[in-house]
Amino acid sequence: MNRKTLALPAVVGLLAPVLVACGDSGDDAGGGGTIVVGTTDQLAAGKGSPAPLDPAYAYDTGAWNVLRQTVQTLMHAPRGGGQPVPEAAESCGFTDNSSESYRCKLRSGLTFADGTEITAEDVKFSLERVRNINADNGTAALLSTVDTIETKGEDEVVFHLASPDATFPYKLSTPAAGIVNKKQYDGKKLREGFQVDGSGPYTMKAHVADDKLTKVVFSRNDSYTGDVEVRNKKVELRVFPDAAAMGEALEKGDIDVMTREMSPSQIKELEEKPKKGIDLIEMPGLSIRYLAFNTDHPSVKDKAVRQAMAALVDRGQIAGQVYGATAEPLYSLIPANIGAHKNSFYNQYGEPSVAKAAKILKKANIKAPVELKLHYTTDRYGAGTAREFEVLQKQLNASKLFSVTVQGAEWSSFRTAQKRGDYPVYGMGWFPDFPDPDNYIAPFLDKGNFLNSPYVSAEARALIPQSRRQADRGAASKEFTQMQDIVATDVPVLPLWQGKQHIAVRSGIQGGELLLNASSDLQLWELSTGK
């Protein structure tokens, strides 16, 4: 097996993608000029998720990976990663030294795909719409530091921030700041269904069955004006029920690329037994997995219960038995390859210890075994999730300190129940909105957080705005260190592991090494057939 490190810029200190050459083939890929990409990201519309692809509502990787192809933002992540650069904007920057005023000038000639001219008023409308709707999915929290938005002429927009926010350029690169057309999007209510209209690199056509997205056909938007070079004419994103079905489609040649989420067994097999005509590409990843708690639920309201779990859980066993080389134990919300990381949980609890957990419960006068139900989603984070929760259950029950049952549910019902507070303990994954330590803290601890968590740390909520004052993000390490220690003490969430990401590509498809950036954003425009 040949291994080749690709000469690409590193992302926040990570290694560049690694290509495992698994054979070669002279077959043409892409079928009639259309490149077909497989995914297991499920998107469903229903009572609990009425508008899965509205920028004012969407706040998960699957939805954002549709929006990033179709809706333009002022800023975006450049090829290979790094600080965000102008996209729909010609230029952007802070106009003061305190990171409280941010000005952008739009590119000339910007239009929506239907030919409507884009002005600064459209940008203002789009971002104010997200804030006014304030959906319960947590999306508006990304724009929480905005005080007012001012337009200057047709092509300049100024964001006046309520407090300093050095991360604001990153936030303008997320779909939450996507520019939408007033013709298709009401300023006061969500756009239900799966249609997306914007000014991005592609237009889209959604295919739906039983209120679930089955595929999206992206066609190059010939009126697109921006920073991205589109290297293909059409890409089909096809949704599969699981990794096994997606892998079978790749082997048959029905799809050209297999992406989120390949199973650990598929990755291992392609590494150890290369298949002719298929290349496995390993990419840097910043995703994390964790247990979260409804801290108002009687079974886990006492933090001693949560602390005892933190003292018992064997992350190394979970990573090794379930995910192999694709995962590493995680002892903080902030992953090890992001600046300001601290192993706060390890420092506080050390190696897994039944004796230590028993002492924590005894001190709090909590009688063992503590009865708990752990919930997980069956169709969101890959094939290893069910096995992961089996291992967690065995670890906790083996201690005799807990009596644990587990239950899985499809994401469409799981997420609704989780936000409603039905689950005392539940498993979640996080793919960062942008590669800054702030995005591993604020979405979990700040007001209006992604989890809709009842947990409040007044100290952490005071430290978050303090950390955003630092234009030099390394200078904010003190605040992030404190917040990581707060999480380890109070355990509103329990970090488990961080992962790498892999895709498999049929020979003949180029650009696979750039298909996913470190935040797991799909960049379909990078793919080509090399013709």
Side-chain angles (χ1 to χ4, degrees), residues 474-486:
S477 293
K478 179 181 177 182
E479 287 85 357
F480 287 119
T481 293
Q482 290 177 260
M483 288 186 278
Q484 289 170 93
D485 287 343
I486 290 170

Side-chain angles (χ1 to χ4, degrees), residues 243-418:
M246 182 168 59
E248 184 178 348
L250 183 74
E251 289 193 32
K252 288 181 178 178
D254 292 340
I255 64 174
D256 303 304
V257 183
M258 180 163 60
T259 179
R260 296 173 29 87
E261 294 270 346
M262 293 180 64
S263 70
S265 60
Q266 287 173 327
I267 294 166
K268 182 178 181 181
E269 183 178 357
L270 283 174
E271 285 181 330
E272 297 178 353
K273 300 176 181 178
K275 295 184 179 180
K276 185 177 181 180
I278 297 176
D279 296 331
L280 178 69
I281 302 175
E282 178 187 300
M283 301 174 177
L286 297 174
S287 65
I288 66 171
R289 296 292 191 277
Y290 58 94
L291 290 178
F293 299 89
N294 175 359
T295 54
D296 277 350
H297 194 281
S299 62
V300 292
K301 189 169 186 176
D302 193 318
K303 70 179 179 182
V305 175
R306 309 192 299 268
Q307 290 173 332
M309 292 177 68
L312 279 173
V313 168
D314 188 337
R315 297 164 175 82
Q317 185 183 58
I318 294 170
Q321 287 190 6
V322 182
Y323 298 102
T326 67
E328 296 177 352
L330 180 63
Y331 297 92
S332 168
L333 272 177
I334 300 174
N337 35 20
I338 288 283
H341 165 82
K342 180 182 179 182
N343 284 324
S344 295
F345 275 83
Y346 189 85
N347 294 344
Q348 182 147 337
Y349 301 100
E351 295 292 335
S353 169
V354 174
K356 186 175 292 186
K359 185 177 180 180
I360 292 170
L361 293 177
K362 184 177 180 180
K363 185 177 180 180
N365 294 317
I366 295 173
K367 185 178 180 181
V370 178
E371 293 190 3
L372 284 181
K373 178 176 280 190
L374 273 57
H375 296 261
Y376 68 94
T377 176
T378 58
D379 59 347
R380 194 66 174 181
Y381 302 122
T385 308
R387 173 63 178 149
E388 175 181 347
F389 274 74
E390 288 177 9
V391 174
L392 272 169
Q393 181 185 29
K394 288 179 180 179
Q395 288 180 359
L396 294 170
N397 286 347
S399 71
K400 306 298 184 183
L401 300 175
F402 289 88
S403 177
V404 172
T405 57
V406 298
Q407 183 175 353
E410 290 186 357
W411 176 256
S412 55
S413 58
F414 174 91
R415 176 65 168 144
T416 301
Q418 175 266 310

Side-chain angles (χ1 to χ4, degrees), residues 121-172:
E121 282 294 333
D122 294 301
V123 177
K124 180 180 179 180
F125 165 79
S126 300
L127 274 72
E128 287 185 341
R129 176 178 179 270
V130 174
R131 299 173 68 219
N132 291 336
I133 291 175
N134 194 23
D136 66 357
N137 224 20
T139 315
L142 283 168
L143 305 176
S144 63
T145 55
V146 175
D147 183 17
T148 59
I149 303 174
E150 177 187 5
T151 60
K152 291 183 176 293
E154 294 289 298
D155 63 354
E156 286 194 23
V157 58
V158 181
F159 301 94
H160 300 285
L161 306 183
S163 58
D165 187 1
T167 70
F168 192 64
Y170 284 108
K171 294 171 180 176
L172 286 184

Side-chain angles (χ1 to χ4, degrees), residues 144-270:
S144 63
T145 55
V146 175
D147 183 17
T148 59
I149 303 174
E150 177 187 5
T151 60
K152 291 183 176 293
E154 294 289 298
D155 63 354
E156 286 194 23
V157 58
V158 181
F159 301 94
H160 300 285
L161 306 183
S163 58
D165 187 1
T167 70
F168 192 64
Y170 284 108
K171 294 171 180 176
L172 286 184
S173 70
T174 69
I179 306 167
V180 297
N181 193 335
K182 296 177 185 177
K183 293 180 181 179
Q184 286 96 16
Y185 293 83
D186 190 296
K188 296 183 179 180
K189 64 181 182 180
L190 294 170
R191 182 181 183 180
E192 297 186 359
F194 294 97
Q195 185 56 40
V196 181
D197 294 280
S199 56
Y202 297 95
T203 59
M204 63 87 81
K205 181 178 180 181
H207 294 254
V208 181
D210 299 325
D211 292 325
K212 292 184 178 181
L213 196 68
T214 58
K215 69 177 180 180
V216 184
V217 177
F218 296 102
S219 300
R220 186 165 63 193
N221 176 12
D222 291 331
S223 63
Y224 166 73
T225 301
D227 189 54
V228 165
E229 179 184 347
V230 184
R231 292 171 165 78
N232 53 66
K233 292 183 179 180
K234 187 174 289 188
V235 179
E236 178 184 314
L237 186 65
R238 192 176 299 176
V239 181
F240 290 89
D242 51 47
M246 182 168 59
E248 184 178 348
L250 183 74
E251 289 193 32
K252 288 181 178 178
D254 292 340
I255 64 174
D256 303 304
V257 183
M258 180 163 60
T259 179
R260 296 173 29 87
E261 294 270 346
M262 293 180 64
S263 70
S265 60
Q266 287 173 327
I267 294 166
K268 182 178 181 181
E269 183 178 357
L270 283 174

